[in-house]
Amino acid sequence: MRAPDPSLDPPATVVRRLVGAPITELAPIGGGRNSRVYRVRSRRSTFALKQYPSRLDDAHDRLATEVDALRLMRQHQLDAVPDVIAVDRDHGLALLSWINGSPVTAVSNSDVDQAVTFLAAVDTLGQACAFAEQRHAAEACLSGAEIERQIAARLKKLQELPVGEESLHTFLQVSFRPIFDRLIAQARGRMCANGIDFDTVLVQEQRSLVPSDFGFHNGLRRPDGTLAFFDFEYFGWDDPVKLTADVLLHPGTPIMLPQREQFRRAAECLYGRDPTFCPRLNALYPLFGLRWTLIVLNEFLPDCWRRRVMAGAGESWTAAKQRQLARAHEYVSHLAAEELQGVTYGE
């Protein structure tokens, strides 16, 4: 195991200034795959401190996106998220209220209900508040063509890695590329059959304000059993089909089949004011599976691996790559099996 590099920790003087009092503890507690999270204690309070990657390594302004999203939600009385206490943009830090809870290791029917209630509240914000329409969720997918473009761009980036990554290149050429071509053609056909153009960008009325990268992997179970949610670095306007697919496909917290079906049906009710939601979900879901197949291979990219190290990665680069390549094989095998069975994804 590789210990996190303490030289990356934020200066204690900066943290003290954010807290506004002497601190008694500054301890890393993990975090996401791109940011570090610390527990900060003073004599009277406990906080979460989030340290975001440098903008030199990541053009997406994660700090501004998350801070604005949290402030918007708290302003409208959504109490299932942390409150923003203080921000230091120069050092890439946000001090947040502490949520007392434990990771969600098993997803129950009640958990699905709570997640859908939260998503409904966020969706209502999009209909009621003046959140700028141009503030899209990170890597928003507002058309089938955009999903295809993103998959092709990720594929190209991986294919351009050094020839030393033979197992990766074999997977991309032999396993991934053929099913990519087939599923793109299938998606185009399904959308055409429902009178939906694969290349046309969704109009604003069909978009939703979403906490992109949402799921139970970014949830905490509080002592009373209610869920709180965190990590809103990708928040913004997007196609709710993408949100729905991502919750079902995310590798962080596998959901059992009954809860998957419960969530899918609830999403269809929540976003079903758009009559094209279900046919678009049916057509595009496999493409999001392809997209996730390449996302899990991000560990092969040196710039992404640097962010993992900054966030406190606890394994070697070689081990991480081997693990993620195995996951990618699982995704492709699952997609191929569903293709063979003629599985559909929306009613």
Side-chain angles (χ1 to χ4, degrees):
M1 300 289 284
R2 178 183 299 167
D5 184 353
S7 68
L8 298 174
D9 293 345
T13 54
V14 174
V15 180
R16 182 185 184 283
R17 177 170 52 78
L18 288 173
V19 173
I23 60 174
T24 59
E25 180 186 39
L26 174 62
I29 57 171
R33 299 172 67 78
N34 298 289
S35 304
R36 275 190 168 194
V37 179
Y38 300 80
R39 181 176 57 242
V40 179
R41 295 186 193 273
S42 67
R43 287 191 179 90
R44 295 184 178 181
S45 302
T46 302
F47 306 92
L49 179 75
K50 191 162 184 179
Q51 182 182 32
Y52 299 83
S54 168
R55 295 292 302 280
L56 297 175
D57 292 330
D58 187 352
H60 176 56
D61 194 344
R62 298 170 182 270
L63 185 154
T65 300
E66 180 155 38
V67 166
D68 289 350
L70 289 174
R71 285 174 170 164
L72 173 70
M73 289 185 282
R74 295 292 294 203
Q75 177 187 347
H76 288 83
Q77 286 74 53
L78 273 70
D79 61 1
V81 300
D83 201 3
V84 178
I85 307 300
V87 176
D88 185 323
R89 297 185 185 277
D90 292 338
H91 293 88
L93 300 172
L95 187 70
L96 309 174
S97 60
W98 180 260
I99 297 175
N100 185 24
S102 57
V104 180
T105 56
V107 178
S108 68
N109 291 351
S110 173
D111 296 334
V112 173
D113 288 340
Q114 291 185 62
V116 173
T117 297
F118 177 75
L119 291 175
V122 175
D123 181 61
T124 300
L125 286 183
Q127 301 175 51
C129 73
F131 196 80
E133 293 182 3
Q134 67 270 23
R135 296 192 67 173
H136 294 164
E139 296 190 334
C141 293
L142 299 175
S143 69
E146 174 59 17
I147 306 170
E148 180 180 9
R149 186 201 67 77
Q150 288 189 20
I151 296 170
R154 288 180 177 274
L155 178 60
K156 182 175 184 292
K157 200 169 185 179
L158 289 166
Q159 289 175 324
E160 290 173 348
L161 289 173
V163 293
E165 303 286 4
E166 285 87 358
S167 58
L168 171 67
H169 290 298
T170 298
F171 167 76
L172 296 176
Q173 184 64 30
V174 176
S175 300
F176 184 84
R177 186 73 213 199
I179 195 171
F180 170 53
D181 293 337
R182 294 197 308 272
L183 291 183
I184 289 291
Q186 173 185 281
R188 286 183 174 275
R190 286 179 173 176
M191 291 187 75
C192 181
N194 284 277
I196 308 169
D197 186 66
F198 187 83
D199 301 305
T200 298
V201 175
L202 287 183
V203 297
Q204 182 63 28
E205 289 72 22
Q206 293 177 295
R207 305 174 192 180
S208 179
L209 198 58
V210 299
S212 193
D213 192 34
F214 176 81
F216 299 99
H217 61 293
N218 285 333
L220 289 173
R221 192 181 306 284
R222 293 180 286 201
D224 64 358
T226 61
L227 298 184
F229 300 100
F230 59 91
D231 199 353
F232 297 94
E233 299 176 10
Y234 303 110
F235 190 93
W237 293 101
D238 205 345
D239 183 352
V241 162
K242 178 177 182 289
L243 170 75
T244 303
D246 282 352
V247 171
L248 297 173
L249 288 162
H250 198 289
T253 306
I255 308 176
M256 301 301 290
L257 183 59
Q259 285 72 41
R260 284 170 54 87
E261 286 299 304
Q262 179 189 357
F263 180 82
R264 182 183 61 80
R265 290 193 300 269
E268 290 174 357
C269 291
L270 173 58
Y271 302 115
R273 62 181 180 271
D274 173 8
T276 70
F277 176 84
C278 289
R280 284 190 292 108
L281 177 62
N282 185 44
L284 299 176
Y285 182 90
L287 302 192
F288 288 111
L290 292 174
R291 187 174 178 275
W292 271 105
T293 301
L294 299 187
I295 288 174
V296 301
L297 295 174
N298 277 348
E299 267 72 1
F300 282 85
L301 303 172
D303 57 339
C304 291
W305 181 247
R306 282 195 298 271
R307 293 200 297 273
R308 303 290 189 262
V309 172
M310 180 268 181
E315 62 184 333
S316 72
W317 195 9
T318 298
K321 289 190 286 188
Q322 291 174 343
R323 169 174 48 79
Q324 295 303 94
L325 184 58
R327 274 185 165 179
H329 275 287
E330 290 174 3
Y331 269 109
V332 164
S333 296
H334 185 70
L335 289 168
E338 289 189 335
E339 179 192 17
L340 186 64
Q341 296 165 15
V343 172
T344 56
Y345 308 89
E347 295 179 351

